[in-house]
């Protein structure tokens, strides 16, 4: 299943036609979230759905599912620099498991409140376990972080590390055993760190809001670094050139993986919920200062180039000698493959 | 599965605690929709989910599912007198069936646009077929139609007919054959009318908006007349006394059902998406005029009484001699039972 194609082919083309005529729709389908005008304010809306056995293993605990669905949704807000306020929940569950429901609802509400988000409504129905959260909030400034704002000459920045979501998932899928690809034994702390990467990723809400006025475009990289870079490039009609040696490697990845697997996780792993953004060159000092102030590593990993109609590549990956590394779908699987696919 | 208990036990109790401290949440979980304040405006939000084999038969066509999910959601707006503007869709489907998706998306967008609603975002994922729609809009007046507004002495009104949703479902489940309980052969026109009652119910959006300033409380009766009357009574802390002879009977029901089955459908069938509302006695002329103007039958079917702490009944049903008809869960199954339960 390629969910992007699904959305692009049908909903985007049809809906954009309809939405473009509605002056209250500032940003419709196709970005991290939608933005509409309500009076003097701007309403931001994002929806994400997690299905059992597709987005989390059937063994996942209710608390883990709750923290994950909140983080995944709020990451869309982070990528817009928007402030989340309210959420509605659609919960389908096969039967009335009160213990499950108590644990899930408690953690969900606690997680939402930690980000000042109120659960205001929802629908609980019978069906295969599925959790869909719609988060609403607002953007207070004019300079929103949309995917289409990247300018030729911009630096490309990445918050923290990628690959940890994939590593976390590998750990989760291995249960109490060893991750499939692991090269040496993990400490208990390392194992727990990895599981949290998958079930409790931290949405970069504050960073996103601080990037307003600094960054020109942003996207969260839930679907993998290269895939999201391609989305940004497509919507900004430019080329993103990434320098592989500048892309940070979290030390735990070399514990888990060989060189190939490590780069596979970093470039294509997905589930990372970090921000990929572009900013003009004169923002370097501001961003380095922000990185220190917020204690979030911000790495400059490339630059935005003019779209080359001859070649057609949206994302170019360069090695330490500036040579282009071939990105083919076989060696670097683009985008997020749900783990049962 | 009793979805009301699920929601009440966990989310309502937990969320109301949190929401009551948030001054921007005007109406949280527990009504037809939620209302929050955004600047000078009031945002209204409702979510409904339809799962395959639970809320519609697996044989349902994509067009039928699309019209039904739109109607079910917009009915919540009708019951609030609110105006829908935007929607996000969460669609889970087992595989990439392009033909299905084309038919579904086309009808969904067309149905939404017919009510001036723009699809602004969503999430398409792999999973068992499930459609969750979140509709956002606004309420423009102060006198919203909430469930808690009924006053002792109010008349109780019902728009059009109930029982048709259940009759439609019976026809749908019978396929090309005859409905299970049917007493005589349906004409082609009757059969098609019934199928439309289930798949294309008409949300009473305009009626709901016209009731602002006239009605004191309203609810849509998707879960059955008695069950929804009980919700209204509970939230308004009063008793709803209904006169069975005043409850209108659509002629097609006597074609399909015997007397007992007919009243079962009318009182407990569910899936009707009509409005049950209360209004003070001096609004009778206004409502009769409105009924004529809009060509929607409005029947006065009872009155709101003081809550009787001795007895504890929330809804009292009287026969033609004013005698109380015993409502027990066995003879009149309260609420909506999903058809595979």
């Amino acid at each position: 299943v390629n969910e992007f194609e699904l959305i692009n082919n049908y909903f985007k083309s049809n809906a954009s036609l309809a939405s473009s005529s509605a002056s209250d729709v500032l940003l419709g389908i196709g970005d991290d979230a939608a933005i509409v005008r309500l009076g003097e304010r701007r309403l931001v809306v994002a929806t994400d759905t997690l299905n059992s056995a597709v987005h989390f293993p059937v063994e996942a605990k209710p608390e883990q599912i709750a923290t994950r669905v909140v983080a995944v949704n709020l990451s869309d807000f982070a990528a817009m620099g928007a402030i989340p306020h309210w959420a509605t929940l659609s919960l389908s569950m096969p039967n009335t498991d009160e213990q499950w429901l108590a644990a899930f609802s408690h953690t969900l509400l606690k997680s939402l409140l930690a980000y000042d988000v109120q659960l205001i409504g929802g629908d609980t129905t019978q069906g295969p376990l599925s959790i869909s959260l719609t988060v609403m909030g607002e953007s207070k400034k004019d300079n929103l972080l949309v995917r289409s704002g990247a300018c030729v000459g911009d630096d490309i920045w990445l918050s923290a590390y990628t690959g940890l979501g994939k590593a976390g998932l590998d750990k989760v899928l291995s249960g109490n055993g060893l991750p499939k690809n692991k090269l040496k034994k993990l400490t208990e702390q390392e194992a727990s760190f990895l599981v949290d990467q998958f079930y409790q990723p931290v949405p970069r809400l504050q960073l996103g809001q601080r990037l307003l006025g600094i960054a020109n475009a942003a996207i969260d990289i839930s679907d993998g670094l290269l895939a999201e870079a391609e989305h940004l490039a497509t919507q900004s009609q430019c080329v993103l050139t990434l320098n592989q040696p500048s892309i940070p490697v979290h030390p735990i990845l070399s514990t888990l993986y060989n060189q190939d697997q490590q780069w596979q996780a970093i470039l294509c792993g997905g589930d990372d919920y970090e921000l990929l953004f572009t900013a003009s060159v004169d923002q370097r000092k501001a961003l380095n200062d922000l990185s220190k102030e917020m204690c979030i590593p911000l790495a400059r990993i490339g630059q935005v180039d003019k779209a080359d109609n001859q070649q057609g590549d949206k994302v170019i990956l360069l090695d330490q000698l500036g040579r282009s590394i071939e990105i083919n779908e076989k060696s670097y699987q683009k985008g997020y493959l749900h783990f049962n696919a």
Side-chain angles (χ1 to χ4, degrees), chain A:
Chain A
V1 172
N2 184 329
E3 56 182 282
F4 316 112
E5 276 179 10
L6 291 184
I7 293 169
N8 286 343
N9 286 357
Y10 298 105
F11 294 105
K12 200 181 165 187
S13 58
N14 289 324
S16 66
L17 245 172
S19 296
S20 63
S21 65
S23 61
D24 57 352
V25 178
L26 302 172
L27 192 64
I29 292 174
D31 215 297
D32 294 293
I35 309 174
V36 295
R37 199 191 309 262
L38 183 63
E40 298 300 304
R41 309 288 273 265
R42 288 171 167 204
L43 174 70
V44 179
V45 188
T47 294
D48 274 295
T49 301
L50 302 186
N51 295 328
S52 181
V54 179
H55 302 95
F56 55 84
V58 291
E59 301 82 16
K61 293 177 192 152
E63 295 87 349
Q64 294 176 319
I65 301 169
T67 54
R68 184 158 163 73
V69 76
V70 169
V72 165
N73 264 274
L74 294 185
S75 182
D76 288 328
F77 270 71
M80 308 287 294
I83 305 165
H85 289 325
W86 313 287
T88 59
L89 168 75
S90 169
L91 170 65
S92 295
M93 53 192 302
N95 51 54
T96 329
D97 181 341
E98 296 217 3
Q99 207 174 344
W100 189 97
L101 200 59
F104 175 80
S105 65
H106 178 77
T107 307
L108 183 86
L109 289 165
K110 206 177 68 176
S111 303
L112 286 172
L113 283 178
Y115 295 103
D116 274 330
V117 177
Q118 308 283 334
L119 187 70
I120 57 168
D123 192 19
T124 307
T125 55
Q126 197 198 344
L129 186 59
S130 174
I131 300 100
S132 182
L133 200 68
T134 299
V135 177
M136 287 148 286
E138 63 182 316
S139 69
K140 291 208 163 159
K141 299 203 183 179
D142 282 341
N143 43 2
L144 262 186
L145 299 176
V146 293
R147 295 181 177 183
S148 57
C151 303
V152 173
D154 275 4
D155 292 325
I156 301 168
W157 295 79
L158 176 67
S159 68
Y161 301 95
T162 63
L164 293 174
K166 171 76 168 73
L169 178 58
D170 278 352
K171 174 62 196 143
V172 164
L173 291 181
S174 71
N176 294 324
L178 303 172
K180 209 167 37 181
N181 305 314
K182 122 174 210 335
L183 297 179
K184 79 173 183 67
K185 193 165 164 53
L186 294 168
T187 66
E188 204 168 304
Q189 202 183 1
E190 285 171 328
S192 148
F193 169 81
L194 283 179
V195 171
D196 285 352
Q197 293 302 307
F198 185 72
Y199 282 123
Q200 299 187 42
V202 177
R204 297 294 187 188
L205 276 173
Q206 284 190 301
L207 176 62
Q209 288 163 29
R210 293 294 297 274
L211 289 177
L212 292 174
I214 298 177
N216 290 330
I219 196 167
D220 77 329
I221 48 169
S222 48
D223 293 318
L225 182 55
L226 292 184
E228 300 291 5
E230 189 168 321
H231 293 152
L232 201 70
T234 302
Q235 296 205 28
S236 292
Q237 296 181 292
C238 59
V239 166
L240 263 59
T241 305
L242 306 179
N243 306 308
Q244 186 169 25
S246 310
I247 299 173
V249 180
H250 193 283
I252 203 169
L253 295 181
S254 51
T255 304
L256 276 176
Y257 299 129
N258 68 29
Q259 196 75 353
D260 268 2
Q261 293 165 335
Q262 170 186 295
W263 282 105
Q264 176 78 28
I266 291 170
L267 296 172
C268 314
D271 285 324
D272 280 308
Y273 306 100
E274 295 297 339
L275 296 185
L276 178 74
F277 58 96
T278 80
S280 72
V281 172
D282 54 17
Q283 297 289 356
R284 286 181 187 174
K285 186 177 179 312
L287 285 164
N288 287 324
D289 290 349
L290 188 63
S291 171
K292 276 179 208 144
E293 184 198 328
M294 300 191 73
C295 294
I296 299 173
L298 296 179
R300 190 153 51 81
I301 63 167
Q303 69 282 335
V304 179
D305 290 322
K306 244 189 231 170
D308 180 352
N309 289 321
Q310 303 286 303
Q311 194 74 14
D313 287 338
K314 302 261 168 57
V315 178
I316 294 168
L317 188 66
L318 301 179
D319 69 10
Q320 67 275 22
L321 297 174
R323 294 170 304 195
S324 174
I325 301 171
E326 201 184 341
I327 305 174
N328 68 55
E329 307 238 347
K330 214 164 178 182
S331 66
Y332 288 111
Q333 183 76 51
K334 284 182 198 176
Y336 176 52
L337 275 190
H338 299 311
F339 59 77
N340 72 339

